[in-house]
Amino acid sequence: MVLHPAGKVREAGQDVTFCCKASGVPAPRKYYWYHNGTLLQGPGTGGRLALRALAPEHAGSYHCKASSEAGAIRSAPAQLTVLAQGQQSCRAEPEPSLVELPSECPQDASGSRYYNVGRCPASPCPGGPAEPAGCGEESGRCCGVRRMELRQVPCAGSVLPVKVVAECGCGPCARPRVLVQGRVTAADTGEPLRFGHIFLGGRKVGFTGYQGSFTIEVPPDTRRLVTRFVDGQQRLVDAVKVLPFDRRGGAVYQEVKMLRKKEPVELDGGRSNAIPLGEAGGREPVGELVLPAGAFLRPSGEVFNGTVKASVTFVDPRDVATASAASSDLSFADAEGEIVPLRTYGMFAVDFREGDSGAALQAGPVQVRMDAGQVWMAEHLEKMKLWSLNPESGLWEEEGVLRPAGGGRRKREERTFLVGNLEIRERRLFNLDVPEDRRCFVKVRAYSNEKFNPYEQLEGVVVSLINLEPQPGFPSNPRAWGRFDSVVTGPNGACLPAFCDGRRPDAYTALVTATLGGEELEAVASSPKLNPNAVGVAQPYLGKLGYRRSDHEDAALKKTAFQINVAKPDPNNVDESNGPVYSYRSLRECEEAPASANHLRFYRVEVDKYEYNVVPFKESDVTSWTGDYLAWWPNPQEFRACYIKVQLEGPQEYMVRSRNVGGSHPRTRGQLYGLRDSRSVRDPLLGDTSGACVEFKCGGMLFDQSLVDRTLVSIVPQGSCRRTAINGLLRDYLSRHPPLADNNHTGAFSMLAPLDPLGHNYGIYTVTDQNPRLAKEIAIGRCFAGTSDGFSREMRAGEGTAVTFSCQERPPGRESFFQRLLSAPAEA
């Protein structure tokens, strides 16, 4: 499916057109349209559906199905909303949205520091009466901020400026770039794929960098981003990945693993040969590939009977570590065109070449023999099939059926085999799979901290689920994985597909992880005592799920994964009707579940730091950006993070604050942009020394993109500290770029932010990225290590330091310090 119908909003009486388009060989000739799952009209010659004079009953979900002699494929559903004439789709009154004020700014008698700044939901608005009957996404209008007001919040005897949303209204929809970024490495050694080829479908779009890094701009109307990474040196197996992305904009970070090709063996093409599948690690092979004499062919069809170098790389699901390196997302299109999951028993990549010239060879027909003893579920013996991967669609397509055959080979003659045939032509990646219809969804949310406040959820987090086979004793293959899936969290979390069972809670288990910008998030602890309120699932359902964090039995293990039994909810049990596991037909219920419903949780382990923006912005949701002169991020297409490294000589760790105000722009001079607090980290090699990497607002263009502002940055440590040294290179740079900031206060360091990306020799660290969180992660990682690259979090306070303070006395309370700092005038 190359064009999916797009969601639309219309008023009653208007017209609407949906379009879809599929490609294939042979070309699809018939299209069917469905409304809320019911066939709407007979087949047509084109993928266009026009509805005239809309009425409320036209609202709902629409999808199309394209078919040909080869099969069928369904589109993703599109939602049509029909409003009554004059009905408002965007209320002028903003929705509540809370931000946390500094610790010295309690807003009520209870000491709460949360302030409602409002937000406008990014919901679509109806098109005009003369809406063109075009196809694809509409440029359209969306609900957004129409007016903001500047408020002065009482704070420790002073006032703190904050901008709040005063009015929402319809306007042009934001169209931020949608990106997928990441790094490609070998699964065994971590070696980066240098200058590897990147394909989208059959189109080459670029190369990986020297460190294996890549950036892919997602084409409009993409629903499944199918990418293929190719090693030009042919040392690694081609990786076909279906990468999740955030359709609302911004970048999602992915770590891509590639399998190393197995060393080739030399075969005599004129004789019959057999290559075992999955014999590594002393395990019994899953099966073997049998190549009869004369099976090897040149692309012209000529039989090749010379020496063949054959490499067959097997992905063995009995090894859980191989799941991250497996290709595709293990899905196929059934007879109705619906994309449904497969459960794998192993996949293999083949590479046959002439021994002398190295030219690629084809083969066929060849025989695949699978040990039936490796299949513990009787129904799977009847459904086992051979599949090949379509590298353009990322879907597996049936090659043949595996049938039981008596007898065996050599020492395994008492075993029974499943036997199938295939031909190896252009496609080189094959699978031993069965369709699995016992499916559910698991609801997961990610939070910015352990408080688990619903308004502090993280968006853009990649949550991955590996389906593990059950505990020993259940009639299935134990200690193996069968499927993997990844999704990206939105404003209401994420729903991950998983295999489940209604009879035995432990029939299928799932291992779940979450990453944000390459950083692993932490799961809720399960020992020494399980707290249902923290996990997010009420008893007794939590006990049935058997929740266990990865460090449950060994405290030395990581805390970044949890395992559950995917126990299908009992429809007759009210305790299981509220998540976190939903039946396969309840996807919409899962997606729209309120934050109060049962769900599983990850959270970000924050160091002791605090961020405040005068113009509120949610870094996990790029669409929350509002154009304003006082915005911390002036451009939603480019996020530039700047950090300064501070060394503190004293017996403790200290909080350090950066206060950022307009410095040279006439519209913002003296006005606050925001505050950043960060606690220093003790240096393990230097006694009585710690370091802090403190973010400041970069100098550069503001919202108007016409004049630059050299932000006036003040760096002040908590307590009785005095400045003792300034990096010589930084001091010389600042002296050569007037005007100078008033820098006479010995307890602080002030500067007009550099416009150049200086580098670690100056103690300044700058990174630009499409993802604000990722830009900050990379910049702070470099700052901690004191080097120009790497993500190291080992603080080396003596390296790459901008300014040094001596803090010999015990610091006063944080509140009194920040009271004095906030009440200081901008020119101080």
Side-chain angles (χ1 to χ4, degrees):
M1 187 64 66
V2 296
L3 177 65
H4 297 263
K8 306 286 178 74
V9 178
R10 294 289 187 271
E11 288 187 356
Q14 291 183 331
D15 302 336
V16 72
T17 300
F18 291 108
C19 302
C20 72
K21 183 179 180 182
S23 66
V25 179
R29 295 177 177 271
K30 298 179 180 178
Y31 287 86
Y32 303 83
W33 284 93
Y34 295 80
H35 177 217
N36 293 334
T38 301
L39 182 63
L40 190 61
Q41 61 182 41
T45 56
R48 181 183 289 258
L49 173 68
L51 302 175
R52 309 297 181 192
L54 290 173
E57 57 267 22
H58 287 114
S61 175
Y62 289 83
H63 77 267
C64 79
K65 181 178 76 172
S67 68
S68 72
E69 296 86 347
I73 189 70
R74 281 190 191 182
S75 72
Q79 196 70 21
L80 173 63
T81 302
V82 179
L83 304 173
Q85 291 186 359
Q87 179 183 351
Q88 292 291 326
S89 63
C90 176
R91 296 179 56 189
E93 182 181 354
E95 294 180 349
S97 179
L98 302 180
V99 297
E100 185 180 4
L101 300 177
S103 59
E104 59 272 22
C105 306
Q107 292 303 296
D108 55 32
S110 66
S112 172
R113 293 184 286 111
Y114 289 94
Y115 192 84
N116 181 18
V117 296
R119 64 180 290 271
C120 300
S123 55
C125 294
E131 185 71 33
C135 294
E137 296 279 0
E138 299 177 351
S139 57
R141 288 153 33 93
C142 295
C143 189
V145 177
R146 174 167 288 176
R147 182 169 57 88
M148 298 189 79
E149 293 179 353
L150 182 65
R151 304 269 176 86
Q152 303 291 340
V153 178
C155 184
S158 183
V159 291
L160 182 73
V162 58
K163 286 216 165 183
V164 301
V165 178
E167 183 183 359
C168 301
C170 290
C173 294
R175 295 295 180 190
R177 296 171 68 194
V178 179
L179 301 174
V180 173
Q181 296 176 319
R183 190 165 177 258
V184 188
T185 57
D188 54 351
T189 64
E191 172 192 1
L193 175 66
R194 294 190 171 104
F195 312 118
H197 306 275
I198 305 174
F199 293 85
L200 288 185
R203 181 170 56 94
K204 187 175 180 179
V205 295
F207 298 88
T208 59
Y210 184 75
Q211 294 296 333
S213 58
F214 67 90
T215 298
I216 298 172
E217 184 164 358
V218 181
D221 199 51
T222 300
R223 303 300 173 97
R224 277 169 54 92
L225 182 65
V226 181
T227 57
R228 180 161 57 103
F229 299 93
V230 178
D231 179 12
Q233 300 183 34
Q234 295 296 311
R235 300 166 304 164
L236 305 174
V237 178
D238 293 359
V240 178
K241 298 289 185 179
V242 181
L243 299 177
F245 59 93
D246 191 343
R247 295 186 64 197
R248 295 165 304 153
V252 172
Y253 186 87
Q254 285 282 337
E255 290 280 356
V256 176
K257 304 295 183 182
M258 295 181 72
L259 285 173
R260 189 172 301 278
K261 283 187 178 180
K262 190 171 182 180
E263 286 296 321
V265 296
E266 291 191 352
L267 306 176
D268 183 348
R271 302 179 59 182
S272 178
N273 298 278
I275 301 175
L277 301 175
E279 81 284 9
R283 292 185 292 261
E284 188 74 19
V286 171
E288 59 187 0
L289 187 65
V290 181
L291 302 126
F296 295 105
L297 306 170
R298 290 192 170 104
S300 62
E302 176 189 357
V303 175
F304 180 79
N305 287 324
T307 300
V308 177
K309 288 189 175 181
S311 172
V312 178
T313 307
F314 188 72
V315 179
D316 196 333
R318 293 174 297 182
D319 181 0
V320 175
T322 62
S324 62
S327 277
S328 181
D329 60 354
L330 286 172
S331 299
F332 78 104
D334 65 10
E336 292 299 315
E338 184 179 2
I339 296 178
V340 291
L342 291 167
R343 183 264 190 238
T344 186
Y345 280 87
M347 58 183 72
F348 57 95
V350 299
D351 187 19
F352 300 142
R353 296 188 179 271
E354 295 183 21
D356 296 330
S357 67
L361 291 171
Q362 300 177 354
V366 301
Q367 193 177 80
V368 178
R369 297 165 59 87
M370 181 180 180
D371 184 357
Q374 300 287 346
V375 183
W376 290 63
M377 298 182 74
E379 61 267 33
H380 284 184
L381 289 170
E382 302 172 0
K383 298 191 292 183
M384 190 72 64
K385 295 181 180 180
L386 275 170
W387 309 77
S388 66
L389 181 63
N390 183 331
E392 294 191 16
S393 68
L395 296 174
W396 295 90
E397 298 176 2
E398 186 177 335
E399 288 281 341
V401 179
L402 290 170
R403 298 296 188 193
R409 297 175 58 87
R410 300 184 181 90
K411 297 180 180 179
R412 300 192 299 277
E413 293 183 358
E414 72 282 358
R415 294 183 180 272
T416 302
F417 285 87
L418 302 176
V419 179
N421 297 294
L422 61 84
E423 295 187 358
I424 301 172
R425 304 299 184 190
E426 292 81 8
R427 297 185 185 178
R428 298 301 175 104
L429 189 61
F430 302 94
N431 210 341
L432 303 166
D433 271 22
V434 293
E436 181 59 88
D437 54 7
R438 290 184 286 182
R439 296 171 279 167
C440 289
F441 288 96
V442 179
K443 185 60 175 265
V444 178
R445 299 178 188 267
Y447 294 85
S448 60
N449 53 56
E450 274 187 286
K451 298 176 183 176
F452 304 121
N453 291 319
Y455 46 84
E456 292 183 314
Q457 291 189 63
L458 293 174
E459 302 174 38
V461 175
V462 178
V463 185
S464 300
L465 183 148
I466 301 175
N467 286 271
L468 300 175
E469 293 306 323
Q471 301 295 325
F474 188 81
S476 178
N477 191 18
R479 302 176 305 281
W481 61 269
R483 183 176 170 78
F484 50 88
D485 279 284
S486 294
V487 295
V488 176
T489 58
N492 201 32
C495 295
L496 290 110
F499 295 148
C500 61
D501 192 271
R503 294 169 298 172
R504 281 281 300 267
D506 60 349
Y508 289 102
T509 61
L511 182 71
V512 187
T513 59
T515 60
L516 177 62
E519 172 196 1
E520 294 179 304
L521 303 189
E522 194 161 301
V524 178
S526 59
S527 63
K529 186 177 180 180
L530 189 65
N531 182 354
N533 291 329
V535 175
V537 182
Q539 294 285 21
Y541 199 17
L542 180 59
K544 188 176 180 180
L545 297 178
Y547 177 91
R548 294 162 68 91
R549 195 168 70 175
S550 46
D551 66 337
H552 185 83
E553 294 177 346
D554 186 352
L557 296 178
K558 284 185 173 182
K559 304 174 182 179
T560 54
F562 65 79
Q563 188 169 320
I564 62 166
N565 302 321
V566 191
K568 186 175 182 179
D570 183 353
N572 299 317
N573 189 337
V574 67
D575 293 328
E576 300 179 11
S577 63
N578 198 30
V581 181
Y582 295 83
S583 65
Y584 185 72
R585 297 300 175 187
S586 302
L587 174 59
R588 188 165 184 177
E589 180 184 346
C590 177
E591 291 177 336
E592 298 177 355
S596 58
N598 288 337
H599 60 273
L600 296 158
R601 294 168 172 171
F602 287 93
Y603 63 94
R604 195 164 191 266
V605 181
E606 295 277 14
V607 296
D608 194 356
K609 67 179 186 181
Y610 169 75
E611 300 179 355
Y612 174 76
N613 298 325
V614 170
V615 180
F617 174 70
K618 197 172 184 179
E619 289 178 351
S620 57
D621 180 9
V622 179
T623 60
S624 68
W625 179 86
T626 303
D628 192 281
Y629 280 97
L630 294 178
W632 186 275
W633 306 98
N635 186 348
Q637 304 293 348
E638 179 182 273
F639 297 97
R640 190 163 171 245
C642 292
Y643 281 80
I644 184 170
K645 189 167 186 177
V646 180
Q647 180 176 328
L648 299 111
E649 297 171 345
Q652 305 183 54
E653 295 178 344
Y654 302 86
M655 291 298 296
V656 183
R657 169 169 285 187
S658 76
R659 188 172 189 269
N660 304 264
V661 301
S664 60
H665 195 289
R667 291 287 299 264
T668 64
R669 188 177 294 119
Q671 297 185 66
L672 184 68
Y673 291 120
L675 308 171
R676 296 293 187 268
D677 301 342
S678 183
R679 183 175 294 280
S680 64
V681 178
R682 190 166 300 283
D683 192 310
L685 302 179
L686 299 176
D688 287 343
T689 301
S690 61
C693 291
V694 186
E695 185 186 7
F696 65 90
K697 187 183 185 306
C698 303
M701 292 287 187
L702 294 187
F703 167 63
D704 59 12
Q705 294 293 299
S706 62
L707 291 176
V708 301
D709 181 38
R710 295 187 65 198
T711 313
L712 177 58
V713 182
S714 298
I715 305 295
V716 189
Q718 177 187 14
S720 300
C721 303
R722 59 184 179 89
R723 190 180 69 247
T724 58
I726 299 175
N727 182 305
L729 287 172
L730 180 61
R731 184 178 59 247
D732 292 344
Y733 173 88
L734 295 174
S735 67
R736 289 184 282 106
H737 291 75
L740 290 172
D742 181 9
N743 205 17
N744 294 325
H745 193 284
T746 59
F749 169 74
S750 298
M751 68 176 181
L752 287 166
L755 299 178
D756 311 319
L758 297 183
H760 69 283
N761 291 331
Y762 293 78
I764 302 292
Y765 300 82
T766 304
V767 171
T768 301
D769 198 272
Q770 296 286 335
N771 184 330
R773 178 71 71 176
L774 185 56
K776 295 169 69 169
E777 286 294 314
I778 298 173
I780 197 172
R782 294 175 179 174
C783 177
F784 265 74
T787 61
S788 58
D789 56 11
F791 285 83
S792 171
R793 288 305 177 86
E794 177 187 357
M795 172 58 78
R796 293 193 285 273
E799 298 181 19
T801 298
V803 59
T804 302
F805 292 87
S806 176
C807 306
Q808 299 300 331
E809 300 178 16
R810 181 175 180 83
R814 178 180 177 185
E815 183 174 341
S816 61
F817 159 68
F818 285 143
Q819 283 177 351
R820 291 186 284 110
L821 182 63
L822 261 182
S823 61
E827 63 271 13

